[in-house]
């Protein structure tokens, strides 16, 4: 009886058909959808920003025929193309430095564009807008408070404090420069009215940054200005900051107290007793003791 040929391979059970693997395809968003809503988004790759130059203020040149180009600046600030917007922001810097009278009528619009650009996840656009803010502070100073809606300035100040408080070093450093330009160009009294609310901000880094620039402003004030703003008001601002979690905030608070004392002691002969009496008369005892300890650390 003839045998059937046997395959060399061992018999196997038939395999179940495999399911097709799912492939997730990232959705590309339009540039206009990326930009301004969430400043906590991860930044875009650095290569995307490579075409933008960060031009120092001293290297910016005047605009040729600025009267004819102011309208094109307005149009450029509305651009959805982020590279074009960076170019327009640099033009706004040139207008602020060399043709500020032409920029003044649209200054509020420019400030709101800066706020929007600072929220953008593109590092190049964010940094360019901060640099523009510095030039605008230097060019306009207190006109920013007098010639624009206060809300525009408040939004700009908040964004600068937020950017100065983040971990991205080159953005943080640029925001610090811009805030320093603000302190140098705007008188302390109106600026303190804007900054004082941020010493109670929920973000401890924003509190610390606000404390630093309040301290810088107070250090510029003479005795009469300190009295006009209110010695007690300044001490009350410093009270909570003295116990803040960040050393930067605590050091700024001590500086504020010492500045207030410098203005106070010019009217007093027995400085130590007068300071202690003043603090106890205007602050809760525990806070008064803190104020005395800052000025006379060996006496409490």
């Amino acid at each position: 009886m003839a045998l059937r040929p046997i395959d060399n391979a061992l018999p196997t059970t038939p395999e179940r058909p495999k399911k097709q693997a799912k492939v997730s395809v990232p959705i590309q968003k339009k540039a206009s959808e990326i930009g301004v809503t969430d400043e906590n988004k991860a930044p875009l790759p650095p290569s995307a920003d490579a075409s933008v130059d960060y031009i120092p203020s001293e290297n910016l040149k005047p605009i040729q025929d600025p009267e004819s180009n102011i309208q094109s600046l307005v149009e450029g600030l509305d651009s959805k193309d982020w590279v074009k917007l960076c170019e327009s922001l640099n033009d706004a810097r040139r207008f602020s430095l060399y043709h500020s009278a032409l920029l003044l009528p649209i200054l509020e619009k420019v400030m709101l564009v800066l706020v929007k650009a600072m929220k953008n996840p593109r590092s190049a656009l964010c940094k360019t807008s901060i640099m523009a803010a510095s030039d605008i502070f230097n060019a306009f100073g207190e006109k920013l408070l007098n010639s624009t809606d206060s809300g525009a300035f408040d939004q700009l100040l908040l964004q600068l404090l937020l950017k100065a408080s983040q971990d991205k070093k080159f953005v943080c450093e640029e925001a610090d420069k811009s805030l320093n330009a603000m302190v140098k160009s705007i008188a302390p009294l109106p600026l303190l009215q804007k900054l004082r609310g941020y010493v109670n901000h929920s973000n401890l880094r924003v509190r610390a940054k606000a404390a630093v620039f309040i301290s810088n402003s107070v250090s510029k004030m003479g005795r009469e200005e300190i009295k006009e703003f209110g010695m007690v008001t300044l001490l009350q601002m410093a009270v909570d900051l003295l116990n803040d979690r960040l050393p930067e905030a605590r050091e700024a608070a001590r500086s504020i107290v010492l500045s207030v004392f410098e203005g106070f002691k010019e009217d007093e002969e027995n400085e130590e007793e007068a300071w202690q009496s003043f603090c106890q008369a205007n602050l809760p005892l525990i806070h008064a003791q803190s104020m005395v300890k800052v000025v006379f650390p060996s006496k409490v």
Side-chain angles (χ1 to χ4, degrees), residues 12 14 23 27 52 94 127 173-174 189 221 225 240 265:
T12 58
V23 179
I27 300 173
V52 174
R94 296 163 69 194
K127 181 172 179 175
E173 290 176 346
E174 202 63 49
L189 282 174
M221 298 167 72
E225 285 184 301
D240 292 334
K265 73 178 185 178

Side-chain angles (χ1 to χ4, degrees), residues 167-240:
D167 294 326
K168 197 182 299 182
K169 185 178 179 181
F170 80 102
V171 172
C172 178
E173 290 176 346
E174 202 63 49
D176 272 333
K177 290 179 186 177
S178 188
L179 288 164
N180 278 315
M182 176 189 68
V183 170
K184 290 178 181 177
S185 62
I186 298 177
L189 282 174
L191 187 56
L192 284 176
Q193 296 294 350
K194 295 292 185 181
L195 284 167
R196 63 187 296 183
Y198 294 104
V199 297
N200 298 315
H201 197 276
S202 59
N203 184 320
L204 74 168
R205 292 188 179 184
V206 170
R207 287 200 305 272
K209 288 295 179 182
V212 167
F213 292 106
I214 287 172
S215 171
N216 292 347
S217 291
V218 173
S219 68
K220 294 171 55 182
M221 298 167 72
R223 179 179 56 175
E224 294 306 317
E225 285 184 301
I226 288 177
K227 286 183 175 181
E228 183 179 349
F229 185 81
M231 289 185 176
V232 176
T233 301
L234 287 169
L235 293 181
Q236 289 171 338
M237 290 169 59
V239 162
D240 292 334

Side-chain angles (χ1 to χ4, degrees), residues 52-262:
V52 174
D53 293 326
Y54 303 120
I55 307 171
S57 300
E58 58 271 20
N59 292 345
L60 292 168
K61 304 299 181 185
I63 303 269
Q64 292 186 355
D65 193 10
E67 291 82 2
S68 301
N69 283 287
I70 190 68
Q71 183 57 40
S72 61
L73 172 65
V74 174
E75 295 168 359
L77 292 173
D78 288 329
S79 176
K80 301 299 182 183
D81 183 328
W82 70 272
V83 176
K84 174 65 176 174
L85 182 53
C86 282
E87 293 172 355
S88 298
L89 289 174
N90 281 327
D91 285 342
R93 297 172 65 199
R94 296 163 69 194
F95 268 99
S96 67
L97 293 175
Y98 297 106
H99 322 284
S100 58
L102 291 172
L103 193 65
L104 187 58
I106 62 167
L107 192 53
E108 184 173 333
K109 174 183 175 62
V110 173
M111 291 172 68
L112 293 174
V113 171
L114 294 183
V115 170
K116 188 175 179 180
M118 285 181 197
K119 297 178 182 179
N120 196 290
R122 287 193 183 275
S123 299
L125 186 52
C126 180
K127 181 172 179 175
T128 302
S129 64
I130 296 172
M131 295 174 75
S134 298
D135 289 326
I136 287 173
F137 284 135
N138 288 326
F140 292 99
E142 287 180 48
K143 290 182 180 178
L144 291 172
L145 301 177
N146 301 328
S147 303
T148 64
D149 176 68
S150 61
F153 184 90
D154 293 342
Q155 290 182 61
L156 181 60
L157 175 57
L158 174 59
Q159 284 306 313
L160 287 171
L161 289 170
L162 288 169
K163 296 306 173 186
S165 304
Q166 66 173 225
D167 294 326
K168 197 182 299 182
K169 185 178 179 181
F170 80 102
V171 172
C172 178
E173 290 176 346
E174 202 63 49
D176 272 333
K177 290 179 186 177
S178 188
L179 288 164
N180 278 315
M182 176 189 68
V183 170
K184 290 178 181 177
S185 62
I186 298 177
L189 282 174
L191 187 56
L192 284 176
Q193 296 294 350
K194 295 292 185 181
L195 284 167
R196 63 187 296 183
Y198 294 104
V199 297
N200 298 315
H201 197 276
S202 59
N203 184 320
L204 74 168
R205 292 188 179 184
V206 170
R207 287 200 305 272
K209 288 295 179 182
V212 167
F213 292 106
I214 287 172
S215 171
N216 292 347
S217 291
V218 173
S219 68
K220 294 171 55 182
M221 298 167 72
R223 179 179 56 175
E224 294 306 317
E225 285 184 301
I226 288 177
K227 286 183 175 181
E228 183 179 349
F229 185 81
M231 289 185 176
V232 176
T233 301
L234 287 169
L235 293 181
Q236 289 171 338
M237 290 169 59
V239 162
D240 292 334
L241 292 170
L242 282 173
N243 298 309
D244 201 273
R245 289 169 56 190
L246 291 182
E248 190 178 15
R250 299 195 296 270
E251 184 58 36
R254 286 190 284 269
S255 176
I256 292 168
V257 175
L258 291 172
S259 293
V260 172
F261 177 72
E262 287 299 312

